[in-house]
Amino acid sequence: MKKRIVIALGGNALGNTLKEQMEAVKKTSRAIADLVEAGHEVVVTHGNGPQVGMIQEAMDAFSAGSPMHPRIPLTVCVAMSQAYIGYDLQNALREELVNRGINKSVSTIITQVIVDKDDPSFKHPTKPIGNILTQEEVEYALLNNKPIINDSGRGFRRVVPSPKPLAIVELDSIKSLINAGKIVIACGGGGIPVVMEGEHLRGVPSVIDKDYASCVLAKNISADSLIILTAVEMAALYYGTPQQINLSTITTEEARQYIGQGHFGSGSMLPKVSAAIDFAESGENKETLITLLEKAKDGIDGKTGTRIVKGGKPDGAL
């Protein structure tokens, strides 16, 4: 059965360097092409945490060494990350489709997303960006009051505000391309965060969580399914312990209960499950799947992944 699917790519689908990204998007494109070949309409979103941090660090270093060139705002760095990730991804996906005899064009939309200028995250930054910091970089950050966080035990990373997405500025353009049968890459890195000031859109220094932005997009284009791809095959209770319990199909009420019990890490699975609940409750027969990139097709067929559905007793495949 043909579905309209928003597929949200995690960082593992993109790599951490330009070379890694070139290799990663080939694998990513094969998984996306499987869904297209199966007859589904696909819209792609992606994260940019490592990439946007790398861009800003490079731009800051350039500005520091060349006073004639002012510092580049974080919002511009988000736009840069959208363009260069989209460039690699759309070309790799186009080539994969051509090799399968599928005639569909792929377009990247540089996407702005409206946020609230009074969002509490601006006072309490939580979104990790950039690479894991060295010990020297950690000490520098602490001495200069630069916010950092231990990212799921992997090491310290810089953190920035992550306001909740409210609306997508380029929504009409995205819809037009989808309705014309095109494959769209949009809301990269959660979108460029902007606030409305009259008719002016002003960028605000922050990075929107891509899972929340993907949920907003999925609701606004009347998607049937939201697929959130991550580094694990299934969400789990007691993750990483001998008592770990993988979750197959759960209701939104069960998911809320597990959140309340603290089962999902704030920097990893929590935003994914929260976005999954929001989308699943946005209408009838809306479902969210959380799984690995290479398991996306199997997840749609009900063979793996964590499937989140609205209330009631779940049954059947995605």
Side-chain angles (χ1 to χ4, degrees), residues 85-119:
I85 293 171
Y87 161 67
D88 278 349
L89 189 55
Q90 72 182 31
N91 281 349
L93 182 52
R94 173 196 166 276
E95 183 175 342
E96 181 66 27
L97 293 171
V98 168
N99 289 338
R100 297 187 189 204
I102 299 172
N103 182 25
K104 275 186 176 290
S105 64
V106 187
S107 298
T108 298
I109 299 289
I110 303 304
T111 315
Q112 301 173 93
V113 174
I114 296 172
V115 301
D116 184 350
K117 65 181 178 61
D118 296 318
D119 190 291

Side-chain angles (χ1 to χ4, degrees), residues 36-278:
V36 176
E37 194 168 37
H40 302 297
E41 287 184 339
V42 177
V43 180
V44 182
T45 67
H46 60 79
N48 71 343
Q51 294 86 354
V52 73
M54 176 189 71
I55 291 170
Q56 183 155 67
E57 288 165 11
M59 293 296 98
D60 284 352
F62 175 67
S63 179
S66 180
M68 293 177 59
H69 296 88
R71 187 172 182 269
I72 301 296
L74 181 57
T75 48
V76 175
C77 296
V78 173
M80 290 178 177
S81 73
Q82 282 191 3
Y84 98 79
I85 293 171
Y87 161 67
D88 278 349
L89 189 55
Q90 72 182 31
N91 281 349
L93 182 52
R94 173 196 166 276
E95 183 175 342
E96 181 66 27
L97 293 171
V98 168
N99 289 338
R100 297 187 189 204
I102 299 172
N103 182 25
K104 275 186 176 290
S105 64
V106 187
S107 298
T108 298
I109 299 289
I110 303 304
T111 315
Q112 301 173 93
V113 174
I114 296 172
V115 301
D116 184 350
K117 65 181 178 61
D118 296 318
D119 190 291
S121 72
F122 288 112
K123 294 183 179 178
H124 304 285
T126 58
K127 178 69 175 177
I129 66 169
N131 295 321
I132 301 296
L133 301 177
T134 64
Q135 183 60 37
E136 182 180 356
E137 289 169 332
V138 169
E139 292 172 359
Y140 175 83
L142 293 173
L143 285 172
N144 290 274
N145 295 317
K146 294 183 178 294
I148 58 175
I149 192 172
N150 192 331
D151 186 12
S152 302
R154 293 174 292 186
F156 286 91
R157 294 172 69 191
R158 177 188 172 197
V159 289
V160 297
S162 185
K164 290 292 179 65
L166 301 178
I168 297 167
V169 177
E170 287 76 22
L171 183 61
D172 286 347
S173 298
I174 295 168
K175 285 181 176 180
S176 294
L177 286 169
I178 297 169
N179 292 334
K182 313 302 181 184
I183 298 172
V184 183
I185 301 167
C187 295
I192 304 163
V194 295
V195 295
M196 292 289 298
E197 294 181 341
E199 295 302 317
H200 176 63
L201 295 171
R202 177 174 63 84
V204 286
S206 54
V207 174
I208 300 168
D209 185 276
K210 70 100 175 40
D211 297 316
Y212 291 135
S214 301
C215 175
V216 172
L217 176 61
K219 290 193 292 186
N220 278 276
I221 64 169
S222 300
D224 300 296
S225 303
L226 170 62
I227 302 179
I228 298 175
L229 300 179
T230 185
V232 294
E233 188 168 346
M234 306 172 81
L237 308 181
Y238 310 105
Y239 179 74
T241 73
Q243 293 76 39
Q244 178 171 324
I245 301 171
N246 290 334
L247 299 171
S248 180
T249 300
I250 60 174
T251 65
T252 51
E253 288 85 353
E254 288 172 320
R256 281 198 180 88
Q257 180 182 356
Y258 297 146
I259 288 175
Q261 293 169 349
H263 284 290
F264 308 124
S266 60
S268 53
M269 190 58 69
L270 179 59
K272 295 171 176 55
V273 175
S274 296
I277 292 170
D278 190 0

